[in-house]
Amino acid sequence: MKNNRFIIIILLLFIASKVSAQNIVKYELTVTDTIVNYSGKEKRAIAVNGQIPMPTLTFTEGDIAEIIVHNKLKESTSLHWHGLFLPNKEDGVPYLTQMPIEPNETFTYSFPIIQNGTHWYHSHSGLQEQIGMYGSLVLLKKKDDPTFRKGIDDLPAVPIILSEWTDIKPENVHRMLANANDWAGIKKGTTQSYSDAIKAGHFKTKLENEWKRMLAMDVSDVYYDKFLINGKNESQLSQFKAGDKVRLRVSNGGASSYFWLNYAGGKMTVVANDGNDVEPIEVDRLIIGVSETYDVVVTIPNEDIAYEFLATPEDRTGSASIYLGNGKIQLKSRMPKLNYFEGMKMMNDMMNMDGTMDDMGMDMSYQQMDMNTVMYPEISGNPKMKMDDEMDMDDKMDHSNHSMNANQDIVTLNYGMLKAPQPTTLQKDAPVRELRFELTGNMNRYVWSMDNKVLSEVDKILIKKGENVRITLYNNSMMRHPMHLHGHDFRVLNGQGEYAPMMNVIDIMPMETDTIEFEANMDGDWFFHCHILYHMMAGMNRVFSYENSKPNPYLPNKEWAYKKLQSESNKFHFMAENDFATNGNDGMVMLQNTRWSFGTEWRLGYHDEHGYETETHIGRYIGKNQWFIPFVGFDWRYREQNGEVEKNIFGQTNTKDQRAVLSLGAEYTLPMLVKLQGEIFTDGNVRFQLMREDIPISSRLRWAFMVNTDKEYMTGFKYIVTRHLGISSHYDSDMGIGFGATLNY
Amino acid sequence: MMALLVLSITACNAQLKNQNTETVKIYGNCGMCKSTIEKAGNIKKQSVVDWNKETKIATILYDSLKTSKDEILKRIALAGYDSDSFLAPDDTYSNLPNCCQYERAKEVSSTMVMSTNNHSQHSNEMTEMQDENPLSAVFDNYFALKNSLVKTDGTTASTSAKNLSTALNEVKMANLSNEVHMVWMKILDNLKTDTQKISDTKETSQQRQYFNSLSKKMYDVIKISKQETPTYYQFCPMANDGKGANWLSKEETIKNPYYGSKMLSCGKTVETINK
Ligand SMILES: [Cu+2]
Ligand SMILES: [Cu+2]
């Protein structure tokens, strides 16, 4: 980093001072490009006041916050105050509550602090949060607050913000996810290939999984190089002594990782969630969803020992630690690797052939029955132990009184255990507005939606000031989703009656049904979305809009802005591949968004006898599973075969020498993920084709085949060497055998 | 517990780049422990661990650019074996086979049972713990030198450096613990040269150049020495022509010795050293 830039940043740090007389607390934040090295490689990131995470901002309830943002990036930015109640125009969502803060522009956020608790803040522009724009936001209680809890609110507190780092540019991460690129699985060792399945004694499980048209799935889909607590993989707070109690204000600023929290010094006491106090509850561990906050109190038990506070991402591919106390470090054991095939088996049992999920009458809700437990060796035992031993999936069970891991020793927090210290009931007699959303997704194409619609396909949802909004959410997708509502806390109807806990993020596991409710007491437009950044960017969003809101001075043209917002999460993803083989070039380019696909494939020989051939398709994915895609096409080919006439199996002929035709066709994904394509061409010819690429033989080896009614066929293998390179060999009825290198982007 | 280090370093055939060799105590019992410890510690082209089940001493060879002693000891602790820097997780320890259930250091430390070890250095160590740290004069003079640089006072800095030189020569090496001794031998020459250079001039800009490398060396030794109060290892990214420079301080508040009043509080604490 340049010297003078640093001087500026440091000077700005000094200016960020508190003017307590007027109760205005002011921070200056300068956003700059920076270079970081978390993994041994230098990569671009974004720093605020020269640091990652962004500085911790602290206010006391009753203060007025004034946060001045200088954008020194070459791109626009924004800051969202996650979990805060504030005027809509200060909420920091570009194209929804303000215009983006353009390069070299300064923008001032100013709002009164009318709540307390642990919150955080982050950029709401694109994927900036992934590369550094997250920070803790601590709102202190006033000393005379009637809810001040002696022994909790007066403890020394440490802000803890969790995050992850990937060396791959987040835009590319997103692109690769959309293209079902399985590089992350290879890096994580979770390809779940046929040979892995055979080794684990789960061949039938894998077969059934593909029969039901599922790709190998993981609890998370991004490979991260490092996991961080307050920007470091390992750090120590040595100021604490034996007997000290410490309150950790934990925010999950990760872009897509849920984190398990464990502590080497004994149990943890959960005292708040999403900035709201809860009745203290002792647990051995808890999982913190993306963008959630939890306050936990831990004790330093012994002299001369520092105790590890361990954050482990849900996929358990790494961890981050902070040591509390000084002296020898008491470690916490690492969480054992997941039994993926047990998870796959469970998914198979719950997946219907039509791609919908069946909870088998278990009425799952509020994290109380964590189906993932079948994958946790520390609870469900060694991998060979089958789920059937614990519960017979065919029997409908009454799960109302116990949770699945109730008889285990490890106490894991779930939402059902959270209870507000005071009643949280909403205003009586207010009209109730009932809404229901089904969380939906298509893993194979990484489309995430609500009621099978992405933001770009829906209008804002109008709500009225003064009504109570009750939302039922059902997760019919294969992944969990941390759903976040801006500007409001909602009650989570978890069975605690009047004392239902208040949250602003609710994690919903597959097949769960959760109900939340809130008082509509604001004004303006509020985002409601999945906080997994890549799901949000895939369109899993809605906007709640108050009827008759007053105009937003920062956003003069709201209709135009909403169109911009919609397009932000329905962008086209580019993909390209070419196999440079001894017998020719084989490749394709593709441009796809949620519903549309534009693609061209080619097979180019090295001489006229082998010929040249291209096929272009423009298609639209239909249905929630997107198994069906009708398209229009254009084929062109040239080959010198001295007038030799080819016959297809229907007896139709074509010379193949030179042909340029339009076509109408459709593709359908069959069980085993085989693609059936039917096409009728303007010259009257008809062609059907079966094809599957990327059959995972081993972690890096893929098998492909194609056969069609023109009596053409192909089979080949590809060994994936790096993210962009594979070694391939294939046999093609037109071009014979070939070896080559496949480059893909 | 530091006393349990041995001085002798086994001469091993060097197959690692940037090789560093250290010896540390790792608690354990038997041949089975040996294989678990070494398996956990070894990483191809990074680290080689050789643990002696009689002396409980491991010789660790590692590529200092790729890994560190702590990383290796942490892996070994996660496999169930305590060392003087890391304690194994309790559940991992109790899952060790019966023959490997060694007597744990943390139980020992509370009762100070020393009878189990009869190393010859033992008595030596006990007296040392009560005596003043043989390096305290060195540290005191270093901090005096740092303080004069904070004030941009070249003359005092030169005098402090002279005192530091004297202190360096007067260290009774026999009283140093083995671990400290090994580090001390490695860095002493550099310490002397840097200190000499600083005392030779009254120009603070030149003094600061040498102070940077002096501080780094001093950090190596202070990190492993016993101290009454914590020392803060601090860093200013602007110093040393933007390459950044470190210093040690007894105060947590930043007082930058590289800029003086111009940029007094530029920098941050990168490590708090407690021992
Ligand atoms: Cu957020
Ligand atoms: Cu948001």
Side-chain angles (χ1 to χ4, degrees):
Chain A
M1 198 179 281
K2 286 266 161 21
N3 221 349
N4 50 357
R5 189 185 292 164
F6 234 104
I7 298 175
I8 294 167
I9 288 160
I10 283 147
L11 286 174
L12 286 171
L13 261 173
F14 294 152
I15 299 166
S17 58
K18 299 186 179 187
V19 190
S20 53
Q22 297 121 315
N23 229 13
I24 295 174
V25 180
K26 210 186 225 181
Y27 284 95
E28 296 240 4
L29 302 176
T30 304
V31 191
T32 56
D33 271 316
T34 187
I35 299 290
V36 294
N37 188 337
Y38 288 111
S39 65
K41 287 186 189 139
E42 298 211 321
K43 295 285 167 184
R44 184 223 168 197
I46 301 177
V48 165
N49 294 3
Q51 66 178 80
I52 296 174
M54 303 195 280
T56 298
L57 310 184
T58 308
F59 303 96
T60 304
E61 187 168 353
D63 287 347
I64 289 172
E66 198 176 309
I67 303 152
I68 302 158
V69 183
H70 306 280
N71 181 9
K72 299 289 175 200
L73 299 173
K74 291 181 194 74
E75 62 193 51
S76 69
T77 191
S78 61
L79 285 176
H80 166 61
W81 320 99
H82 183 108
L84 264 58
F85 312 144
L86 34 61
N88 192 237
K89 65 183 172 64
E90 310 296 336
D91 194 45
V93 183
Y95 300 118
L96 186 66
T97 67
Q98 67 174 97
M99 287 300 287
I101 308 172
E102 296 298 336
N104 292 313
E105 217 174 74
T106 291
F107 187 90
T108 303
Y109 292 97
S110 174
F111 46 89
I113 302 293
I114 55 170
Q115 67 200 116
N116 58 67
T118 301
H119 300 278
W120 66 294
Y121 68 113
H122 58 86
S123 166
H124 220 297
S125 298
L127 299 158
Q128 289 176 344
E129 180 198 306
Q130 174 85 81
I131 55 169
M133 289 189 72
Y134 48 86
S136 288
L137 182 51
V138 175
L139 310 184
L140 302 169
K141 273 183 192 174
K142 282 193 237 173
K143 283 271 156 5
D144 57 358
D145 191 313
T147 69
F148 196 90
R149 298 185 288 179
K150 280 236 165 66
I152 296 176
D153 290 323
D154 47 5
L155 290 177
V158 180
I160 298 271
I161 189 153
L162 311 172
S163 63
E164 355 82 331
W165 176 262
T166 164
D167 275 345
I168 301 178
K169 251 174 79 173
E171 287 74 16
N172 275 332
V173 170
H174 191 207
R175 200 177 56 80
M176 287 160 68
L177 288 169
N179 295 333
N181 184 317
D182 54 5
W183 180 244
I186 294 173
K187 288 286 274 183
K188 294 205 273 181
T190 58
T191 311
Q192 301 165 49
S193 67
Y194 275 98
S195 59
D196 294 336
I198 291 166
K199 261 182 241 150
H202 271 291
F203 179 69
K204 269 173 80 184
T205 310
K206 178 69 185 173
L207 213 57
E208 185 184 350
N209 198 245
E210 294 215 320
W211 179 253
K212 292 189 169 174
R213 291 174 268 203
M214 287 186 267
L215 288 176
M217 70 155 253
D218 199 342
V219 292
S220 79
D221 15 56
V222 183
Y223 171 76
Y224 288 104
D225 296 275
K226 272 280 181 298
F227 298 93
L228 309 169
I229 291 179
N230 295 342
K232 294 197 183 74
N233 182 252
E234 255 185 301
S235 56
Q236 182 157 11
L237 294 170
S238 46
Q239 66 265 40
F240 299 113
K241 303 280 170 304
D244 282 358
K245 282 187 170 192
V246 186
R247 175 191 192 150
L248 304 174
R249 294 174 170 275
V250 189
S251 307
N252 183 352
S256 73
S257 302
Y258 281 62
F259 284 94
W260 284 107
L261 306 181
N262 282 284
Y263 179 54
K267 298 215 179 233
M268 298 177 277
T269 307
V270 175
V271 298
N273 168 228
D274 286 352
N276 295 302
D277 288 353
V278 294
E279 287 293 345
I281 179 148
E282 245 186 28
V283 297
D284 291 298
R285 64 180 195 179
L286 65 143
I287 195 164
I288 178 168
V290 175
S291 85
E292 288 188 298
T293 78
Y294 274 105
D295 291 36
V296 297
V297 174
V298 295
T299 310
I300 285 76
N302 284 305
E303 206 62 63
D304 298 326
I305 298 180
Y307 292 86
E308 182 174 43
F309 180 76
L310 181 70
T312 312
E314 199 186 8
D315 67 8
R316 307 184 176 189
T317 49
S319 61
S321 315
I322 188 162
Y323 308 118
L324 307 175
N326 72 65
K328 293 185 186 183
I329 289 162
Q330 172 64 62
L331 297 169
K332 179 79 191 168
S333 51
R334 296 318 188 235
M335 301 185 84
K337 291 268 167 286
L338 296 173
N339 296 331
Y340 281 103
F341 286 109
E342 292 299 333
M344 186 185 277
K345 189 167 183 305
M346 177 200 64
M347 272 298 167
N348 289 348
D349 288 343
M350 311 219 151
M351 182 63 71
N352 299 322
M353 264 326 279
D354 65 357
T356 58
M357 307 250 291
D358 181 3
D359 72 349
M360 316 189 102
M362 288 193 286
D363 296 330
M364 292 157 60
S365 61
Y366 309 111
Q367 303 175 328
Q368 292 171 100
M369 196 192 312
D370 181 354
M371 298 303 288
N372 286 341
T373 306
V374 299
M375 290 191 275
Y376 304 155
E378 72 275 19
I379 290 182
S380 53
N382 67 62
K384 291 287 161 228
M385 185 166 135
K386 296 279 158 36
M387 191 180 178
D388 309 52
D389 302 343
E390 293 168 59
M391 52 182 282
D392 191 335
M393 300 297 292
D394 298 330
D395 288 341
K396 307 247 163 163
M397 299 162 299
D398 177 20
H399 273 281
S400 49
N401 296 322
H402 73 283
S403 59
M404 191 185 264
N405 49 16
N407 49 1
Q408 304 294 338
D409 293 340
I410 300 173
V411 181
T412 304
L413 184 77
N414 66 57
Y415 285 157
M417 295 155 78
L418 295 176
K419 185 180 180 191
Q422 282 89 29
T424 55
T425 38
L426 306 184
Q427 52 186 356
K428 302 250 159 41
D429 315 320
V432 178
R433 175 79 185 280
E434 298 256 12
L435 294 166
R436 187 187 154 89
F437 295 104
E438 189 171 306
L439 308 183
T440 41
N442 175 332
M443 193 63 208
N444 304 17
R445 289 205 58 245
Y446 216 74
V447 170
W448 298 102
S449 53
M450 294 159 83
D451 299 329
N452 295 315
K453 292 206 162 69
V454 293
L455 185 75
S456 65
E457 297 168 320
V458 292
D459 291 331
K460 296 179 185 175
I461 297 164
L462 292 176
I463 56 174
K464 272 198 205 78
K465 193 169 184 159
E467 63 189 8
N468 290 341
V469 180
R470 186 175 300 143
I471 303 174
T472 304
L473 295 156
Y474 169 58
N475 185 354
N476 195 8
S477 80
M478 291 160 71
M479 298 208 84
R480 60 202 304 173
H481 300 285
M483 300 302 298
H484 170 54
L485 174 62
H486 283 215
H488 303 70
D489 276 348
F490 46 73
R491 303 179 77 225
V492 176
L493 306 186
N494 64 346
Q496 299 281 12
E498 290 188 339
Y499 297 88
M502 302 296 288
M503 306 182 191
N504 54 59
V505 181
I506 183 161
D507 162 47
I508 308 178
M509 305 190 74
M511 288 168 294
E512 281 192 337
T513 305
D514 291 355
T515 306
I516 60 175
E517 61 179 24
F518 65 92
E519 258 173 44
N521 53 9
M522 306 289 287
D523 186 74
D525 291 348
W526 302 94
F527 222 12
F528 177 55
H529 63 94
C530 175
H531 218 291
I532 292 178
L533 206 52
Y534 302 98
H535 292 187
M536 180 180 91
M537 295 306 282
M540 200 169 194
N541 319 314
R542 288 293 184 273
V543 170
F544 287 118
S545 179
Y546 280 86
E547 282 177 30
N548 309 315
S549 288
K550 58 174 184 282
N552 181 336
Y554 299 146
L555 211 57
N557 190 345
K558 275 198 176 186
E559 260 151 58
W560 170 85
Y562 187 61
K563 292 218 171 69
K564 281 294 281 185
L565 182 77
Q566 288 176 308
S567 69
E568 295 272 288
S569 59
N570 187 21
K571 288 191 173 149
F572 276 95
H573 295 285
F574 178 74
M575 174 185 177
E577 193 175 280
N578 191 55
D579 181 14
F580 299 90
T582 50
N583 59 346
N585 275 277
D586 229 321
M588 60 143 182
V589 290
M590 208 137 78
L591 209 54
Q592 297 191 309
N593 71 0
T594 309
R595 307 288 174 200
W596 289 101
S597 170
F598 301 84
T600 296
E601 288 179 30
W602 59 79
R603 274 173 293 281
L604 308 174
Y606 292 125
H607 49 79
D608 291 354
E609 278 92 65
H610 275 172
Y612 318 96
E613 193 175 336
T614 76
E615 288 179 25
T616 303
H617 291 167
I618 299 173
R620 185 176 162 87
Y621 289 97
I622 305 293
K624 91 167 198 173
N625 297 305
Q626 303 204 338
W627 288 332
F628 184 57
I629 169 171
F631 60 82
V632 294
F634 172 73
D635 280 24
W636 175 87
R637 69 175 72 164
Y638 174 80
R639 186 165 64 169
E640 197 154 297
Q641 277 198 342
N642 313 318
E644 188 189 318
V645 175
E646 288 196 348
K647 245 187 206 173
N648 70 11
I649 61 168
F650 307 114
Q652 294 172 315
T653 55
N654 81 65
T655 64
K656 268 201 169 183
D657 280 3
Q658 183 145 12
R659 184 174 180 240
V661 282
L662 294 172
S663 73
L664 209 59
E667 188 179 279
Y668 184 74
T669 305
L670 295 169
M672 297 307 296
L673 299 162
V674 171
K675 285 182 177 154
L676 167 68
Q677 206 182 72
E679 219 172 341
I680 175 155
F681 300 91
T682 40
D683 59 5
N685 275 352
V686 176
R687 188 182 73 181
F688 288 95
Q689 177 170 294
L690 287 172
M691 185 168 82
R692 167 117 195 242
E693 288 171 321
D694 292 337
I695 303 169
I697 301 299
S698 77
S699 170
R700 287 170 181 261
L701 188 65
R702 302 288 175 269
W703 176 44
F705 71 86
M706 182 279 286
V707 52
N708 70 21
T709 55
D710 286 354
K711 298 177 190 166
E712 292 171 325
Y713 53 91
M714 181 280 288
T715 182
F717 289 96
K718 182 166 94 172
Y719 183 84
I720 300 167
V721 182
T722 70
R723 181 150 71 95
H724 296 300
L725 175 71
I727 299 170
S728 51
S729 81
H730 69 270
Y731 182 80
D732 185 305
S733 55
D734 282 356
M735 303 193 195
I737 191 152
F739 301 94
T742 305
L743 291 181
N744 65 283
Y745 175 75
Chain B
M1 289 297 117
M2 285 301 178
L4 301 167
L5 292 168
V6 262
L7 231 176
S8 66
I9 293 166
T10 341
C12 249
N13 41 338
Q15 333 92 314
L16 295 169
K17 280 185 196 156
N18 315 299
Q19 182 172 303
N20 241 358
T21 307
E22 293 196 55
T23 53
V24 285
K25 165 135 190 170
I26 295 169
Y27 297 78
N29 272 345
C30 55
M32 206 147 149
C33 299
K34 179 176 164 73
S35 73
T36 313
I37 290 172
E38 293 178 356
K39 201 172 146 231
N42 291 353
I43 287 186
K44 228 178 151 189
K45 290 183 180 166
Q46 263 197 21
S47 54
V48 182
V49 177
D50 180 21
W51 184 73
N52 183 321
K53 71 176 182 196
E54 310 306 328
T55 60
K56 320 292 180 213
I57 298 297
T59 307
I60 300 179
L61 283 87
Y62 62 92
D63 180 336
S64 57
L65 290 185
K66 284 193 184 138
T67 185
S68 66
K69 184 180 93 179
D70 273 357
E71 264 182 31
I72 298 163
L73 290 177
K74 188 169 159 188
R75 282 203 302 274
I76 292 171
L78 285 172
Y81 293 92
D82 294 346
S83 59
D84 290 326
S85 344
F86 292 97
L87 298 172
D90 294 341
D91 52 344
T92 315
Y93 170 81
S94 52
N95 283 336
L96 290 176
N98 275 343
C99 63
C100 295
Q101 303 271 338
Y102 58 94
E103 213 169 318
R104 296 198 79 177
K106 59 176 171 180
E107 274 113 33
V108 176
S109 68
S110 52
T111 47
M112 287 304 276
V113 184
M114 301 297 268
S115 57
T116 46
N117 84 62
N118 40 19
H119 287 262
S120 52
Q121 289 102 329
H122 180 183
S123 56
N124 185 4
E125 178 73 3
M126 286 305 280
T127 47
E128 187 198 312
M129 275 200 256
Q130 280 132 30
D131 276 356
E132 205 195 335
N133 186 336
L135 293 177
S136 55
V138 171
F139 297 150
D140 290 348
N141 283 304
Y142 168 86
F143 292 121
L145 168 60
K146 185 217 67 176
N147 290 339
S148 11
L149 288 177
V150 169
K151 290 182 196 125
T152 320
D153 181 347
T155 320
T156 327
S158 166
T159 322
S160 310
K162 260 186 216 105
N163 296 340
L164 179 56
S165 277
T166 322
L168 285 174
N169 289 322
E170 282 172 359
V171 171
K172 294 202 177 59
M173 282 195 250
N175 292 349
L176 293 175
S177 73
N178 294 322
E179 194 188 358
V180 177
H181 195 168
M182 284 190 273
V183 174
W184 188 251
M185 296 298 287
K186 250 187 270 174
I187 62 171
L188 183 59
D189 279 351
N190 289 319
L191 287 179
K192 282 184 176 166
T193 346
D194 289 333
T195 314
Q196 189 62 46
K197 292 266 165 56
I198 297 172
S199 65
D200 284 350
T201 171
K202 291 190 166 69
E203 200 54 64
T204 47
S205 61
Q206 284 173 40
Q207 289 171 332
R208 280 170 174 147
Q209 274 171 26
Y210 298 109
F211 186 70
N212 181 20
S213 84
L214 174 71
S215 297
K216 277 190 192 140
K217 294 285 172 306
M218 205 58 92
Y219 164 75
D220 288 341
V221 59
I222 211 160
K223 200 166 58 163
I224 53 167
S225 311
K226 289 199 165 46
Q227 305 164 73
E228 301 283 287
T229 55
T231 303
Y232 302 93
Y233 193 43
Q234 299 171 326
F235 177 74
C236 164
M238 289 159 61
N240 194 14
D241 296 325
K243 280 181 241 141
N246 293 82
W247 69 95
L248 292 153
S249 171
K250 278 301 198 190
E251 298 165 76
E252 200 174 0
T253 327
I254 299 289
K255 285 185 186 155
N256 188 328
Y258 295 98
Y259 285 92
S261 58
K262 268 193 284 176
M263 273 287 164
L264 188 61
S265 51
C266 171
K268 60 178 180 203
T269 301
V270 287
E271 190 180 333
T272 306
I273 306 157
N274 281 290
K275 198 92 178 185

